[in-house]
Amino acid sequence: MKTVYKLIAAAALASTLFSSCDDFLTVVPEDKPVQDNYYTSEAAIRDNTKVLYSAMIWRDFYMGFHWKLDELVGDMYYTYDAEGQWYFGTYTNVNQFLNEGWKGLYNVISQCNSVIEDMPKYVQGVDEAAVERAQAEARAIRAYCYWYIAECWHDAPIVTHNSDNIANNKFDLPRNPQKDIYRFALEDADFAVNTLPDTDTDAYRATKKTARAIRARILLTMASHSDYGYDRNDLYKRAAEDAMYVIENSTNVKDIMFDNLFDEVSNNGPESILAIQCGTLGYGTGNPKTIAWGRSAKVADGCWGAGKGPTISLQTMYDKVDKRRKWTFMQNGDFYPNLNTAEGGYTYQTQAYEAGSVVEDRNEMNSHIKKYVIGRDADGNGTTSNNQDASNNIYLIRLADMYLIYAEAIMGTNNSTNDQKALDQINSVRDRAGLAGLTTLTFRDLIKERRREFAFESINWFDILRLRYREGDQAALDFLNSGYETGYNRASMYVFKDWNQNDEAHANLESSYKIVCSVADYGMYDPIMINASAFQLPIPAAATTSSPALLGEIVNFYN
């Protein structure tokens, strides 16, 4: 994996040297002398498309923006500075992470556009099928990016020819409507499905299965809309077909271990459908989450995750026998043999003491995040470091999603289903978690199961959006602000029942704490109510400054 990653990173570096820091449209894919001499073999083309999976290309997106959606959905508690604005839903168009998400996704799109539009002009002596396969890889990934943009910003520019825009000084582009972005993404996915091979010798590359998984997400999202005049039943039917194709052409999810799913050992394994390829080659080349989410120096080198933790609403949604819980977040008494290996492993304590002094302080959630946190550099034999560049890949789509998409698509516009095949799929996911099967499934049950499965993976926000498309703003807000109907608003936190008991004898006793949700009860906040403005992210001020047309009328992309 490291050899493959080094090739990817080197190609990515070459293609980003000409990137602009200010304008999301002015990314020059490659310099012409390289193009004139590069694409003379299929191997050369494949070396070029490696860039599309590289962490360096996705850097702004996953480092500055991607995981903030976990705060917005209420999976992750964190209330400080620009990051914490997402938890309160108070981010504005000047939030730095908003800009990094926008710019980051368009940077990936620009790389895809280079492969789709520019690369074929510089191919000599290579079979056309190899060129189309490379274009299909790029169109699959571009489809994913445009689906993501449509969900976050709704209306945004559809950019297809970065180099032509640069040549013609065409940088001030208007927004196109969300419905057109869906259509464009679906057309990209269709091309990829019809062109990509069933398998590839490189496990990380997009194949027909990847493309059908991406298309399943797009179709499911479109089908959720009751406002665009879609044939929703047909869209749900097609989404189910795509999801089932992926399921039937993959390892059964019940045979894949969950406990190491987010460690380097599972990179590009049977659960991975599409993932950002990470490595320990310096800042921006790997997974930053061990550092960003790690609790202390015992579990990460140079971390700042002490104040982050799973919300109480999320914690209460797991059954005590749910095997996913321990590998999603840490609670008092949990033991992790792969962390702090120099001392024989790591036992999580709500508040840890050594020789009577606190060495790991509690946070307001009495819990910290485990998912994607893989330990110190010494624990992983070079798979992580203090440069935010751990080598465990970041999932964009994983197999379990297809099982739950299938169940949702079979349910369709109904609020529940007893369809046995739909139940079989969700029960396969639950079986891996050690849970009993369901005999009926409601839409809200499904969203709750998705939250347990995908916490801290920046997916659950899109489930809330589909609920909104189906049932309207108020239904989605009520569900979100009630903590997925747990009754625990995101302001809920643990405080000591008796402030005089904040000592070693009491700090790790569950009976020492109570949950509060108001300042009057000594909480930090009164109930935090997300409002409907959160459902559509503002276009960052940095983008509208360089492209004022973004503030103008929305222009149809299709006639």
Side-chain angles (χ1 to χ4, degrees):
M1 176 60 208
K2 289 182 181 177
T3 301
V4 171
Y5 182 79
K6 287 177 182 177
L7 288 171
I8 295 172
L13 181 59
S15 64
T16 52
L17 289 175
F18 301 94
S19 299
S20 165
C21 295
D22 302 314
D23 195 324
F24 75 99
L25 293 175
T26 58
V27 179
V28 182
E30 292 186 36
D31 60 332
K32 189 174 184 296
V34 172
Q35 290 176 321
D36 283 344
N37 297 285
Y38 191 61
Y39 306 114
T40 57
S41 69
E42 182 175 353
I45 291 175
R46 284 172 66 82
D47 277 346
N48 184 49
T49 52
K50 285 178 181 178
V51 171
L52 303 178
Y53 308 91
S54 164
M56 289 186 69
I57 295 301
W58 291 84
R59 178 176 59 189
D60 286 339
F61 168 72
Y62 73 79
M63 293 199 76
F65 172 76
H66 187 222
W67 63 265
K68 306 303 185 296
L69 297 179
D70 291 315
E71 295 179 69
L72 186 55
V73 79
D75 287 351
M76 185 185 304
Y77 173 87
Y78 194 67
T79 61
Y80 301 102
D81 299 325
E83 289 181 9
Q85 290 173 8
W86 295 85
Y87 195 73
F88 293 104
T90 58
Y91 51 84
T92 66
N93 64 352
V94 297
N95 184 283
Q96 67 191 78
F97 303 111
L98 183 78
N99 184 49
E100 289 175 14
W102 173 274
K103 184 176 64 175
L105 285 166
Y106 275 106
N107 182 58
V108 178
I109 288 169
S110 76
Q111 304 298 329
C112 294
N113 290 343
S114 175
V115 172
I116 297 163
E117 303 294 341
D118 298 326
M119 180 268 294
K121 304 172 188 175
Y122 301 94
V123 171
Q124 295 180 357
V126 183
D127 187 78
E128 181 63 25
V131 177
E132 288 190 352
R133 186 180 305 168
Q135 291 176 306
E137 283 187 77
R139 290 188 70 170
I141 293 171
R142 189 172 71 174
Y144 175 88
C145 290
Y146 273 123
W147 165 79
Y148 212 104
I149 286 171
E151 290 305 273
C152 290
W153 287 278
H154 296 198
D155 310 310
I158 298 174
V159 183
T160 60
H161 295 77
N162 291 77
S163 57
D164 286 352
N165 290 341
I166 293 165
N168 297 307
N169 200 32
K170 186 179 179 182
F171 300 127
D172 194 14
L173 298 182
R175 289 171 294 158
N176 303 121
Q178 184 187 55
K179 187 176 181 181
D180 284 6
I181 302 176
Y182 287 149
R183 177 177 167 183
F184 185 84
L186 187 57
E187 289 172 356
D188 267 353
D190 286 342
F191 180 88
V193 168
N194 293 329
T195 308
L196 286 171
D198 294 335
T199 61
D200 197 288
T201 54
D202 293 332
Y204 61 85
R205 286 187 183 272
T207 61
K208 189 181 299 291
K209 185 167 68 173
T210 312
R212 293 196 73 164
I214 293 169
R215 190 169 68 178
R217 272 204 189 176
I218 297 168
L219 290 167
L220 187 78
T221 301
M222 294 171 67
S224 301
H225 277 274
S226 59
D227 53 347
Y228 281 151
Y230 292 138
D231 183 342
R232 297 176 67 194
N233 290 329
D234 180 65
L235 291 170
Y236 276 125
K237 176 177 178 290
R238 291 161 61 192
E241 290 170 351
D242 277 342
M244 183 52 63
Y245 173 88
V246 177
I247 293 168
E248 290 178 341
N249 288 277
S250 303
T251 303
N252 192 303
V253 74
K254 292 187 290 186
D255 297 327
I256 305 171
M257 294 178 61
F258 189 90
D259 56 1
N260 63 6
L261 210 53
F262 303 90
D263 300 343
E264 192 222 10
V265 68
S266 293
N267 281 357
N268 303 317
E271 183 86 16
S272 183
I273 304 297
L274 180 64
I276 297 171
Q277 302 296 300
C278 296
T280 54
L281 294 173
Y283 180 83
T285 67
N287 191 333
K289 295 180 181 180
T290 289
I291 301 298
W293 297 354
R295 177 190 192 182
S296 75
K298 286 184 175 291
V299 299
D301 295 309
C303 61
W304 58 85
K308 298 181 177 77
T311 58
I312 290 175
S313 72
L314 176 65
Q315 293 183 52
T316 60
M317 288 181 66
Y318 287 82
D319 189 284
K320 288 187 177 180
V321 300
D322 195 323
K323 296 177 182 177
R324 295 170 295 194
R325 198 280 305 160
K326 176 181 176 180
W327 304 106
T328 302
F329 54 86
M330 307 178 189
Q331 290 187 325
N332 196 59
D334 288 339
F335 176 71
Y336 300 94
N338 62 325
L339 301 180
N340 198 25
T341 55
E343 297 181 23
Y346 177 73
T347 299
Y348 182 86
Q349 294 179 289
T350 305
Q351 186 157 287
Y353 292 80
E354 289 181 4
S357 298
V358 176
V359 292
E360 290 182 305
D361 207 349
R362 60 176 290 269
N363 63 14
E364 292 85 355
M365 301 296 106
N366 281 1
S367 179
H368 286 84
I369 300 167
K370 172 61 180 75
K371 189 177 282 189
Y372 281 122
V373 174
I374 62 173
R376 301 169 62 191
D377 193 46
D379 296 324
N381 296 316
T383 59
T384 184
S385 76
N386 61 2
N387 291 319
Q388 302 182 64
D389 59 342
S391 58
N392 51 331
N393 289 346
I394 299 170
Y395 294 105
L396 297 178
I397 303 178
R398 61 182 179 89
L399 180 60
D401 195 15
M402 295 300 106
Y403 282 74
L404 300 183
I405 281 178
Y406 180 85
E408 184 174 339
I410 292 299
M411 187 183 304
T413 58
N414 299 315
N415 291 322
S416 64
T417 184
N418 293 314
D419 181 275
Q420 189 57 52
K421 202 168 182 181
L423 292 170
D424 287 344
Q425 306 319 307
I426 192 170
N427 286 339
S428 292
V429 174
R430 289 175 59 84
D431 182 81
R432 175 168 69 174
L435 300 175
L438 303 175
T439 56
T440 190
L441 177 66
T442 70
F443 185 72
R444 281 169 167 73
D445 288 339
L446 179 67
I447 296 180
K448 292 173 184 178
E449 193 63 51
R450 290 183 62 88
R451 191 186 194 198
R452 288 185 284 264
E453 178 71 21
F454 300 115
F456 311 125
E457 295 182 53
S458 303
I459 293 178
N460 294 328
W461 177 240
F462 304 112
D463 304 335
I464 297 295
L465 295 180
R466 289 199 309 284
L467 173 60
R468 179 202 179 210
Y469 299 150
R470 290 168 63 105
E471 300 183 26
D473 285 357
Q474 197 57 53
L477 290 172
D478 289 346
F479 189 75
L480 184 61
N481 288 323
S482 67
Y484 281 59
E485 298 180 331
T486 63
Y488 292 108
N489 179 267
R490 63 183 56 210
S492 300
M493 61 181 58
Y494 285 102
V495 299
F496 272 96
K497 292 178 180 177
D498 180 348
W499 291 103
N500 295 322
Q501 291 183 351
N502 189 4
D503 55 37
E504 188 170 0
H506 298 90
N508 294 305
L509 298 176
E510 185 177 353
S511 59
S512 297
Y513 299 94
K514 63 179 179 180
I515 297 172
V516 301
C517 188
S518 69
V519 174
D521 289 329
Y522 301 102
M524 292 181 66
Y525 310 103
D526 289 322
I528 300 167
M529 308 303 287
I530 301 298
N531 60 51
S533 65
F535 290 135
Q536 181 174 356
L537 305 186
I539 295 176
T544 57
T545 298
S546 60
S547 301
L550 292 170
L551 297 174
E553 292 185 7
I554 298 169
V555 177
N556 289 335
F557 185 80
Y558 298 97
N559 294 327

